[in-house]
Amino acid sequence: MMAPIVGIDLGTTNSLVAYMDGGSPRVIFGKHDQPNVPSIVGLTDNGLMVGEPAKEHLVRDPLRTIYSVKRFMGKSLADVSDELNYFPYTLREKGGVIRIQIGEKTYSPPQISAMILKELKLRAAAHLGQDVTKVVITVPAYFNDGQRQATKDAGLIAGLEVLRIINEPTAASLAYGLERQTQGVVAVYDLGGGTFDISLLRLKDGIFEVLATNGHTHLGGDDWDRRLVESVVKDVNAKHGLKVDDCPELMQTVRLESERVKIQLSDEDKTHMSIPLPDGKGTYTREWSREELESLTLDLVQHTLAPCRSALQDAGLHAHEVDEVVLVGGSTRMPLVRRLVEELFGQTPHCELNPEEVVALGAAVQAGILAGDNKDMLLLDVTPLSLGIETMGGVMSALIRRNTTIPTSAKEMFTTYADGQTSVDVHILQGERELVQDNRSLARFQFKVPPLPAGVPRIEVTFLIDANGILNVTAADIRTGESQSVQVKPSHGLTDDEVESMIRDSFQFAVEDIKARQVIEARTEAEAIITATEKALKRGTDLIAPEEAQSIHAAIEDLRAVTHQDDHRVLRGKIADVEKVTHHLAEVLMDATLKEALENKKLSEVTD
Amino acid sequence: MARSMCWHCQSEMSGEYFCGRCVKVQPLSKELDYFTCMNLPRLLHVDEQALERTFYALSRTFHPDYFATKDESQQRISLGNTALLNAAYRMLKDPIQRAEYLIRLEAGSAKDIRTSPPADLFDEILELQDDLEEFRALSAEDSSARRQTLQEKLEASRRSLEARKADVESRLFDQFDKWDVLHAQTHDDPATQAAKDAVLKTMQALLSNRTYVTNVVNDLVAAVGERTGSGRT
């Protein structure tokens, strides 16, 4: 049997992997039956943690736990300067690429993404019972060349063969098309954790032709959370005399609680927020109504409407000519989003397929097409941004217009301006503005020319955007017919050498052995529980009998004694012992101070 | 199509896009013009349904998605063929681009479409450029009567230029009819050839005017704003 190709949705907040099970796409669930892997990576002293355990680790060790790394893909530090405050970890830059500093080491965003990809690869391999090396990875439709290349690099670093980079909204349309046999014009409105896309497609006889796409690569659920966080931080600082910004652990608790409240308010009109504060400052509680959330974030939803209108205009369509509207991405669960989309298109949007899973399902459908198992469907996608080169006077000259069907190529003839000139420099850009400085610098390259009088050399350069939406450059000397090598230096991307060395480095983190992973997770949890229990003991000494305190101390020491063992079952056993013996203390503490707020929480969570 | 040998097995080509013997995909000739690529005669009125059908069928033949598991050479050919196919479809789908392409094809690249103002509009457009410059210099908060007057004048110009554009296009489409009739004639005598050249020349002038007027309208829309709302342009 041929090696399976899986589809991966590498999301800002959550990632998923899916495959074709017979003729239907299916998301692969984790061992606790959860469909998603949180896109969070913990680089602890004990080793690497990815997904759910890393998410739990986040509030304990925010300086070494990385989330929302997708926002940094293909970006420089200057690109994200206005949101640096939201991230607890330290960001640096090298070669135009963001680097995340953890202790002494730095990691590029593709390296962190590669860790998430490996986790998904392991999940898929475990489920399918065979190694998985070939993948389709989705990206936001509005991702530029650099962001796509960074995603492809992440795949390489993870040891994967990325057969195709496919756009998230179009992937979703494949899943819907398969499910509903839709025909006609479809608008896919995709609001995820960090990005927004709108794509308009014509579906006809199995051909999915993208007419236009638009979007915003820095607008998503994260921004909704931030609005809540800002409001809460202000409130806590004022009411409890704290400086939340200086306390990364508390900041993460606030962020996660804000996210939870936001999600809750999609289903309910009101919800309760409660955040335990450090230093015996009690608990912050607050009632939230959906109305409040909506008034805090209305402008964010409105931000998505202008790209929708631009896409309609580019496709030469009126809103009422759209036959179906499809909602994709967890953020489209918000009633306000649905209402405004419905108003814009004048129809009730479809959301039959789980908006969190539909992109991964579509990636699996595309994997089936690439494998040759599906000859009925074909996706014809477009490039989201115009591509051009810098010309005299700092002006961009467009070679390939936005919304051109890919693959596509453009040729440009170059010559020399001075006698004996031996090389020509070209600056490649992406964007819709007239001036070079207002567009995105993609790369620079140089090619050699034979020393001849000015204007005599004739070098034809071909700019080809492939089916992944990634640029390839080749050059040929027209006079000799010889092809030229072109050294392309990305403006905000890793060099080939860097990717090579990161592939080698990645073996250092190859915690593919299930046992090793379990040990790392158990050990990290043990350490957290020891810290938490000791804190709780200090606070609760007067509330319990001395014998009880004694036995808790003993249990802690027992656990501490085994933290260096390599058998996770021993660790788990001792962790359970500590939890059992501290059960009463937790109850007492809750009764005493936090009863109302902390129902159903474990001691370790209470005292963090 | 003048193609003789399969790049792979060197046998004489029998199939159209695939070698009849080794079934490898063949590269489309670089000299292939877009009309031939799309199986269309060199006419300016195009059966859009047929064009779309051919585009979809050839996409199913060449698209890289169907070559993902094939060898590197075939992948490269698939990529090149699809890029050519996409360019052909884009060019022929739009009547204006189609006409520009036909002129290049028939009259050579020396006859590139330049932008030139319609002769009778020359003075009017000069005045309009002055108004536009003055209007841009005034801030949006300015509520003076002068700004109001300029705005109304510019909006009137926009409407009249849009009408002019429609007029140019309708004259252009008349030439489409003429071309198609001439092209259908089987005898390519000197008189027919001269008539064809005349049509090409007229179209070229109309296209130059159209490009110019379109640019001015775009400038006006950028400065004064569009009053018609979103949607088709």
Side-chain angles (χ1 to χ4, degrees), chain B residues 31-46:
Chain B
E31 277 76 51
L32 189 68
D33 75 79
Y34 295 160
F35 287 98
T36 313
C37 173
M38 287 298 191
N39 288 323
L40 289 172
R42 230 176 248 196
L43 299 176
L44 284 170
H45 287 291
V46 156

mmCIF file with all atom_site columns, all heavy atoms in Angstrom, chain B residues 31-46:
data_model
loop_
_atom_site.group_PDB
_atom_site.id
_atom_site.type_symbol
_atom_site.label_atom_id
_atom_site.label_alt_id
_atom_site.label_comp_id
_atom_site.label_asym_id
_atom_site.label_entity_id
_atom_site.label_seq_id
_atom_site.pdbx_PDB_ins_code
_atom_site.Cartn_x
_atom_site.Cartn_y
_atom_site.Cartn_z
_atom_site.occupancy
_atom_site.B_iso_or_equiv
_atom_site.pdbx_formal_charge
_atom_site.auth_seq_id
_atom_site.auth_comp_id
_atom_site.auth_asym_id
_atom_site.auth_atom_id
_atom_site.pdbx_PDB_model_num
ATOM 1   N N   . GLU B 1 31 ? 5.916   28.215 -28.902 1.00 0.00 ? 31 GLU B N   1
ATOM 2   C CA  . GLU B 1 31 ? 5.405   29.075 -29.978 1.00 0.00 ? 31 GLU B CA  1
ATOM 3   C C   . GLU B 1 31 ? 3.878   29.034 -30.064 1.00 0.00 ? 31 GLU B C   1
ATOM 4   O O   . GLU B 1 31 ? 3.284   29.754 -30.854 1.00 0.00 ? 31 GLU B O   1
ATOM 5   C CB  . GLU B 1 31 ? 6.002   28.660 -31.337 1.00 0.00 ? 31 GLU B CB  1
ATOM 6   C CG  . GLU B 1 31 ? 7.380   29.244 -31.618 1.00 0.00 ? 31 GLU B CG  1
ATOM 7   C CD  . GLU B 1 31 ? 8.462   28.529 -30.824 1.00 0.00 ? 31 GLU B CD  1
ATOM 8   O OE1 . GLU B 1 31 ? 8.505   27.288 -30.881 1.00 0.00 ? 31 GLU B OE1 1
ATOM 9   O OE2 . GLU B 1 31 ? 9.240   29.211 -30.132 1.00 0.00 ? 31 GLU B OE2 1
ATOM 10  N N   . LEU B 1 32 ? 3.281   28.152 -29.276 1.00 0.00 ? 32 LEU B N   1
ATOM 11  C CA  . LEU B 1 32 ? 1.832   27.973 -29.353 1.00 0.00 ? 32 LEU B CA  1
ATOM 12  C C   . LEU B 1 32 ? 1.102   29.268 -28.987 1.00 0.00 ? 32 LEU B C   1
ATOM 13  O O   . LEU B 1 32 ? 1.341   29.837 -27.939 1.00 0.00 ? 32 LEU B O   1
ATOM 14  C CB  . LEU B 1 32 ? 1.444   26.870 -28.360 1.00 0.00 ? 32 LEU B CB  1
ATOM 15  C CG  . LEU B 1 32 ? 0.018   26.345 -28.410 1.00 0.00 ? 32 LEU B CG  1
ATOM 16  C CD1 . LEU B 1 32 ? -0.216  25.581 -29.696 1.00 0.00 ? 32 LEU B CD1 1
ATOM 17  C CD2 . LEU B 1 32 ? -0.222  25.429 -27.213 1.00 0.00 ? 32 LEU B CD2 1
ATOM 18  N N   . ASP B 1 33 ? 0.211   29.753 -29.896 1.00 0.00 ? 33 ASP B N   1
ATOM 19  C CA  . ASP B 1 33 ? -0.531  30.949 -29.504 1.00 0.00 ? 33 ASP B CA  1
ATOM 20  C C   . ASP B 1 33 ? -1.768  30.537 -28.703 1.00 0.00 ? 33 ASP B C   1
ATOM 21  O O   . ASP B 1 33 ? -2.186  29.390 -28.714 1.00 0.00 ? 33 ASP B O   1
ATOM 22  C CB  . ASP B 1 33 ? -0.898  31.784 -30.732 1.00 0.00 ? 33 ASP B CB  1
ATOM 23  C CG  . ASP B 1 33 ? -2.034  31.183 -31.516 1.00 0.00 ? 33 ASP B CG  1
ATOM 24  O OD1 . ASP B 1 33 ? -3.196  31.356 -31.088 1.00 0.00 ? 33 ASP B OD1 1
ATOM 25  O OD2 . ASP B 1 33 ? -1.765  30.513 -32.540 1.00 0.00 ? 33 ASP B OD2 1
ATOM 26  N N   . TYR B 1 34 ? -2.305  31.515 -27.957 1.00 0.00 ? 34 TYR B N   1
ATOM 27  C CA  . TYR B 1 34 ? -3.372  31.216 -27.000 1.00 0.00 ? 34 TYR B CA  1
ATOM 28  C C   . TYR B 1 34 ? -4.644  30.705 -27.682 1.00 0.00 ? 34 TYR B C   1
ATOM 29  O O   . TYR B 1 34 ? -5.358  29.873 -27.130 1.00 0.00 ? 34 TYR B O   1
ATOM 30  C CB  . TYR B 1 34 ? -3.690  32.459 -26.164 1.00 0.00 ? 34 TYR B CB  1
ATOM 31  C CG  . TYR B 1 34 ? -2.544  32.901 -25.262 1.00 0.00 ? 34 TYR B CG  1
ATOM 32  C CD1 . TYR B 1 34 ? -2.489  34.195 -24.762 1.00 0.00 ? 34 TYR B CD1 1
ATOM 33  C CD2 . TYR B 1 34 ? -1.530  32.013 -24.903 1.00 0.00 ? 34 TYR B CD2 1
ATOM 34  C CE1 . TYR B 1 34 ? -1.465  34.607 -23.931 1.00 0.00 ? 34 TYR B CE1 1
ATOM 35  C CE2 . TYR B 1 34 ? -0.496  32.416 -24.074 1.00 0.00 ? 34 TYR B CE2 1
ATOM 36  C CZ  . TYR B 1 34 ? -0.460  33.728 -23.595 1.00 0.00 ? 34 TYR B CZ  1
ATOM 37  O OH  . TYR B 1 34 ? 0.554   34.128 -22.778 1.00 0.00 ? 34 TYR B OH  1
ATOM 38  N N   . PHE B 1 35 ? -4.941  31.229 -28.881 1.00 0.00 ? 35 PHE B N   1
ATOM 39  C CA  . PHE B 1 35 ? -6.151  30.764 -29.573 1.00 0.00 ? 35 PHE B CA  1
ATOM 40  C C   . PHE B 1 35 ? -6.009  29.278 -29.912 1.00 0.00 ? 35 PHE B C   1
ATOM 41  O O   . PHE B 1 35 ? -6.917  28.484 -29.673 1.00 0.00 ? 35 PHE B O   1
ATOM 42  C CB  . PHE B 1 35 ? -6.381  31.578 -30.860 1.00 0.00 ? 35 PHE B CB  1
ATOM 43  C CG  . PHE B 1 35 ? -6.870  32.974 -30.612 1.00 0.00 ? 35 PHE B CG  1
ATOM 44  C CD1 . PHE B 1 35 ? -5.994  34.053 -30.608 1.00 0.00 ? 35 PHE B CD1 1
ATOM 45  C CD2 . PHE B 1 35 ? -8.221  33.214 -30.378 1.00 0.00 ? 35 PHE B CD2 1
ATOM 46  C CE1 . PHE B 1 35 ? -6.452  35.340 -30.374 1.00 0.00 ? 35 PHE B CE1 1
ATOM 47  C CE2 . PHE B 1 35 ? -8.686  34.502 -30.148 1.00 0.00 ? 35 PHE B CE2 1
ATOM 48  C CZ  . PHE B 1 35 ? -7.797  35.571 -30.138 1.00 0.00 ? 35 PHE B CZ  1
ATOM 49  N N   . THR B 1 36 ? -4.855  28.906 -30.469 1.00 0.00 ? 36 THR B N   1
ATOM 50  C CA  . THR B 1 36 ? -4.629  27.502 -30.827 1.00 0.00 ? 36 THR B CA  1
ATOM 51  C C   . THR B 1 36 ? -4.661  26.628 -29.566 1.00 0.00 ? 36 THR B C   1
ATOM 52  O O   . THR B 1 36 ? -5.257  25.546 -29.561 1.00 0.00 ? 36 THR B O   1
ATOM 53  C CB  . THR B 1 36 ? -3.268  27.340 -31.523 1.00 0.00 ? 36 THR B CB  1
ATOM 54  O OG1 . THR B 1 36 ? -3.148  28.367 -32.514 1.00 0.00 ? 36 THR B OG1 1
ATOM 55  C CG2 . THR B 1 36 ? -3.149  25.982 -32.181 1.00 0.00 ? 36 THR B CG2 1
ATOM 56  N N   . CYS B 1 37 ? -4.021  27.130 -28.513 1.00 0.00 ? 37 CYS B N   1
ATOM 57  C CA  . CYS B 1 37 ? -3.989  26.399 -27.256 1.00 0.00 ? 37 CYS B CA  1
ATOM 58  C C   . CYS B 1 37 ? -5.401  26.068 -26.790 1.00 0.00 ? 37 CYS B C   1
ATOM 59  O O   . CYS B 1 37 ? -5.668  24.988 -26.284 1.00 0.00 ? 37 CYS B O   1
ATOM 60  C CB  . CYS B 1 37 ? -3.253  27.240 -26.205 1.00 0.00 ? 37 CYS B CB  1
ATOM 61  S SG  . CYS B 1 37 ? -3.292  26.583 -24.541 1.00 0.00 ? 37 CYS B SG  1
ATOM 62  N N   . MET B 1 38 ? -6.309  27.027 -26.981 1.00 0.00 ? 38 MET B N   1
ATOM 63  C CA  . MET B 1 38 ? -7.682  26.850 -26.501 1.00 0.00 ? 38 MET B CA  1
ATOM 64  C C   . MET B 1 38 ? -8.612  26.291 -27.571 1.00 0.00 ? 38 MET B C   1
ATOM 65  O O   . MET B 1 38 ? -9.838  26.336 -27.413 1.00 0.00 ? 38 MET B O   1
ATOM 66  C CB  . MET B 1 38 ? -8.227  28.199 -26.013 1.00 0.00 ? 38 MET B CB  1
ATOM 67  C CG  . MET B 1 38 ? -7.630  28.644 -24.697 1.00 0.00 ? 38 MET B CG  1
ATOM 68  S SD  . MET B 1 38 ? -8.045  27.452 -23.396 1.00 0.00 ? 38 MET B SD  1
ATOM 69  C CE  . MET B 1 38 ? -7.550  28.353 -21.959 1.00 0.00 ? 38 MET B CE  1
ATOM 70  N N   . ASN B 1 39 ? -8.042  25.812 -28.678 1.00 0.00 ? 39 ASN B N   1
ATOM 71  C CA  . ASN B 1 39 ? -8.841  25.239 -29.761 1.00 0.00 ? 39 ASN B CA  1
ATOM 72  C C   . ASN B 1 39 ? -9.872  26.218 -30.313 1.00 0.00 ? 39 ASN B C   1
ATOM 73  O O   . ASN B 1 39 ? -11.004 25.845 -30.608 1.00 0.00 ? 39 ASN B O   1
ATOM 74  C CB  . ASN B 1 39 ? -9.586  23.980 -29.296 1.00 0.00 ? 39 ASN B CB  1
ATOM 75  C CG  . ASN B 1 39 ? -8.654  22.820 -29.106 1.00 0.00 ? 39 ASN B CG  1
ATOM 76  O OD1 . ASN B 1 39 ? -7.700  22.658 -29.891 1.00 0.00 ? 39 ASN B OD1 1
ATOM 77  N ND2 . ASN B 1 39 ? -8.867  22.033 -28.060 1.00 0.00 ? 39 ASN B ND2 1
ATOM 78  N N   . LEU B 1 40 ? -9.476  27.477 -30.405 1.00 0.00 ? 40 LEU B N   1
ATOM 79  C CA  . LEU B 1 40 ? -10.412 28.494 -30.896 1.00 0.00 ? 40 LEU B CA  1
ATOM 80  C C   . LEU B 1 40 ? -9.872  29.111 -32.179 1.00 0.00 ? 40 LEU B C   1
ATOM 81  O O   . LEU B 1 40 ? -8.658  29.261 -32.332 1.00 0.00 ? 40 LEU B O   1
ATOM 82  C CB  . LEU B 1 40 ? -10.574 29.610 -29.857 1.00 0.00 ? 40 LEU B CB  1
ATOM 83  C CG  . LEU B 1 40 ? -11.333 29.291 -28.580 1.00 0.00 ? 40 LEU B CG  1
ATOM 84  C CD1 . LEU B 1 40 ? -11.215 30.453 -27.603 1.00 0.00 ? 40 LEU B CD1 1
ATOM 85  C CD2 . LEU B 1 40 ? -12.797 28.980 -28.872 1.00 0.00 ? 40 LEU B CD2 1
ATOM 86  N N   . PRO B 1 41 ? -10.768 29.467 -33.109 1.00 0.00 ? 41 PRO B N   1
ATOM 87  C CA  . PRO B 1 41 ? -10.318 30.233 -34.275 1.00 0.00 ? 41 PRO B CA  1
ATOM 88  C C   . PRO B 1 41 ? -9.925  31.639 -33.827 1.00 0.00 ? 41 PRO B C   1
ATOM 89  O O   . PRO B 1 41 ? -10.350 32.096 -32.764 1.00 0.00 ? 41 PRO B O   1
ATOM 90  C CB  . PRO B 1 41 ? -11.563 30.263 -35.175 1.00 0.00 ? 41 PRO B CB  1
ATOM 91  C CG  . PRO B 1 41 ? -12.712 30.066 -34.250 1.00 0.00 ? 41 PRO B CG  1
ATOM 92  C CD  . PRO B 1 41 ? -12.216 29.229 -33.113 1.00 0.00 ? 41 PRO B CD  1
ATOM 93  N N   . ARG B 1 42 ? -9.153  32.342 -34.664 1.00 0.00 ? 42 ARG B N   1
ATOM 94  C CA  . ARG B 1 42 ? -8.663  33.663 -34.271 1.00 0.00 ? 42 ARG B CA  1
ATOM 95  C C   . ARG B 1 42 ? -9.738  34.724 -34.477 1.00 0.00 ? 42 ARG B C   1
ATOM 96  O O   . ARG B 1 42 ? -9.567  35.649 -35.273 1.00 0.00 ? 42 ARG B O   1
ATOM 97  C CB  . ARG B 1 42 ? -7.426  33.991 -35.097 1.00 0.00 ? 42 ARG B CB  1
ATOM 98  C CG  . ARG B 1 42 ? -6.276  34.444 -34.246 1.00 0.00 ? 42 ARG B CG  1
ATOM 99  C CD  . ARG B 1 42 ? -5.057  34.674 -35.063 1.00 0.00 ? 42 ARG B CD  1
ATOM 100 N NE  . ARG B 1 42 ? -4.023  33.680 -34.769 1.00 0.00 ? 42 ARG B NE  1
ATOM 101 C CZ  . ARG B 1 42 ? -2.759  33.850 -35.118 1.00 0.00 ? 42 ARG B CZ  1
ATOM 102 N NH1 . ARG B 1 42 ? -2.380  34.936 -35.758 1.00 0.00 ? 42 ARG B NH1 1
ATOM 103 N NH2 . ARG B 1 42 ? -1.868  32.929 -34.829 1.00 0.00 ? 42 ARG B NH2 1
ATOM 104 N N   . LEU B 1 43 ? -10.842 34.581 -33.776 1.00 0.00 ? 43 LEU B N   1
ATOM 105 C CA  . LEU B 1 43 ? -11.953 35.524 -33.884 1.00 0.00 ? 43 LEU B CA  1
ATOM 106 C C   . LEU B 1 43 ? -12.075 36.312 -32.586 1.00 0.00 ? 43 LEU B C   1
ATOM 107 O O   . LEU B 1 43 ? -11.619 35.857 -31.533 1.00 0.00 ? 43 LEU B O   1
ATOM 108 C CB  . LEU B 1 43 ? -13.264 34.774 -34.131 1.00 0.00 ? 43 LEU B CB  1
ATOM 109 C CG  . LEU B 1 43 ? -13.331 33.932 -35.406 1.00 0.00 ? 43 LEU B CG  1
ATOM 110 C CD1 . LEU B 1 43 ? -14.650 33.160 -35.466 1.00 0.00 ? 43 LEU B CD1 1
ATOM 111 C CD2 . LEU B 1 43 ? -13.174 34.808 -36.640 1.00 0.00 ? 43 LEU B CD2 1
ATOM 112 N N   . LEU B 1 44 ? -12.710 37.477 -32.670 1.00 0.00 ? 44 LEU B N   1
ATOM 113 C CA  . LEU B 1 44 ? -12.816 38.321 -31.476 1.00 0.00 ? 44 LEU B CA  1
ATOM 114 C C   . LEU B 1 44 ? -14.081 38.080 -30.671 1.00 0.00 ? 44 LEU B C   1
ATOM 115 O O   . LEU B 1 44 ? -14.152 38.418 -29.496 1.00 0.00 ? 44 LEU B O   1
ATOM 116 C CB  . LEU B 1 44 ? -12.682 39.789 -31.862 1.00 0.00 ? 44 LEU B CB  1
ATOM 117 C CG  . LEU B 1 44 ? -11.227 40.173 -32.162 1.00 0.00 ? 44 LEU B CG  1
ATOM 118 C CD1 . LEU B 1 44 ? -11.130 41.557 -32.764 1.00 0.00 ? 44 LEU B CD1 1
ATOM 119 C CD2 . LEU B 1 44 ? -10.376 40.057 -30.910 1.00 0.00 ? 44 LEU B CD2 1
ATOM 120 N N   . HIS B 1 45 ? -15.105 37.525 -31.322 1.00 0.00 ? 45 HIS B N   1
ATOM 121 C CA  . HIS B 1 45 ? -16.256 37.076 -30.541 1.00 0.00 ? 45 HIS B CA  1
ATOM 122 C C   . HIS B 1 45 ? -15.980 35.637 -30.157 1.00 0.00 ? 45 HIS B C   1
ATOM 123 O O   . HIS B 1 45 ? -15.733 34.795 -31.027 1.00 0.00 ? 45 HIS B O   1
ATOM 124 C CB  . HIS B 1 45 ? -17.546 37.182 -31.350 1.00 0.00 ? 45 HIS B CB  1
ATOM 125 C CG  . HIS B 1 45 ? -17.998 38.605 -31.515 1.00 0.00 ? 45 HIS B CG  1
ATOM 126 N ND1 . HIS B 1 45 ? -18.467 39.355 -30.476 1.00 0.00 ? 45 HIS B ND1 1
ATOM 127 C CD2 . HIS B 1 45 ? -18.005 39.415 -32.599 1.00 0.00 ? 45 HIS B CD2 1
ATOM 128 C CE1 . HIS B 1 45 ? -18.763 40.564 -30.902 1.00 0.00 ? 45 HIS B CE1 1
ATOM 129 N NE2 . HIS B 1 45 ? -18.483 40.638 -32.197 1.00 0.00 ? 45 HIS B NE2 1
ATOM 130 N N   . VAL B 1 46 ? -16.011 35.367 -28.863 1.00 0.00 ? 46 VAL B N   1
ATOM 131 C CA  . VAL B 1 46 ? -15.631 34.046 -28.392 1.00 0.00 ? 46 VAL B CA  1
ATOM 132 C C   . VAL B 1 46 ? -16.821 33.382 -27.720 1.00 0.00 ? 46 VAL B C   1
ATOM 133 O O   . VAL B 1 46 ? -17.590 34.043 -27.020 1.00 0.00 ? 46 VAL B O   1
ATOM 134 C CB  . VAL B 1 46 ? -14.440 34.182 -27.409 1.00 0.00 ? 46 VAL B CB  1
ATOM 135 C CG1 . VAL B 1 46 ? -14.364 33.002 -26.465 1.00 0.00 ? 46 VAL B CG1 1
ATOM 136 C CG2 . VAL B 1 46 ? -13.143 34.344 -28.170 1.00 0.00 ? 46 VAL B CG2 1
#
